[in-house]
Amino acid sequence: MEKYSRALLCALIGASPLAGAADLNPGLWEITMVTRAPQQAGWTPEPFSLSQCVTAQDAKDPSRLIGAHANPGATGCKYTEKSYAGGTFRFAMHCAGSFEIDSRGSVTFNPDSFNGTIAVKANVAGQPTEFQNQISGKRLGGC
């Protein structure tokens, strides 16, 4: 299960809800995801963090970051809904491939941090699995 959760996590971070955050500050960001699967009590993987350099061009169009991530097991990811208003980005996304991921999330941010939730339904090892993710990010400084 952990192998699948890591791949799913990378796909979800790759599908990070930063798209539409036009006022995001460029620089080095730390992005952290905490994943839980309610139907699997006791399965509590460690939070996963990564550092990402956000360029000024990326900050103007953070969807560029989405395409830059490798999405192991998730291919053909496309937004099916997205909106940005009042500092909150809301979205739904579908990814074809071996995990068949459908996600829906809401993330609120300011130029130097963000926090949000992502509800995910995925096909893991042939079994439908639901995940609840908390995503957060903070700008650490320059790249």
Side-chain angles (χ1 to χ4, degrees):
M1 182 67 158
E2 186 166 328
K3 175 183 166 189
Y4 295 111
S5 67
R6 289 261 182 219
L8 180 60
L9 180 59
C10 289
L12 291 173
I13 290 175
S16 154
L18 292 174
D23 53 355
L24 185 68
N25 281 332
L28 182 63
W29 282 73
E30 179 181 63
I31 301 169
T32 301
M33 180 89 73
V34 176
T35 300
R36 297 295 179 258
Q39 71 276 18
Q40 295 183 7
W43 182 73
T44 55
E46 292 293 316
F48 177 82
S49 293
L50 62 82
S51 295
Q52 175 73 44
C53 184
V54 176
T55 67
Q57 194 169 12
D58 291 336
K60 291 177 186 172
D61 181 11
S63 65
R64 292 169 41 99
L65 298 174
I66 294 169
H69 286 281
N71 293 319
T75 57
C77 295
K78 294 181 182 178
Y79 283 108
T80 56
E81 298 174 28
K82 61 181 177 177
S83 66
Y84 175 63
T88 299
F89 180 67
R90 291 178 177 81
F91 70 96
M93 179 175 278
H94 176 78
C95 299
S98 60
F99 292 127
E100 193 73 25
I101 300 168
D102 285 301
S103 59
R104 180 172 295 281
S106 175
V107 177
T108 300
F109 58 92
N110 66 50
D112 293 321
S113 67
F114 64 85
N115 288 287
T117 59
I118 304 170
V120 179
K121 293 180 182 179
N123 177 4
V124 178
Q127 298 296 313
T129 305
E130 293 185 17
F131 297 92
Q132 297 296 321
N133 301 303
Q134 297 291 321
I135 188 167
S136 62
K138 62 181 176 181
R139 186 177 181 277
L140 301 175
C143 293

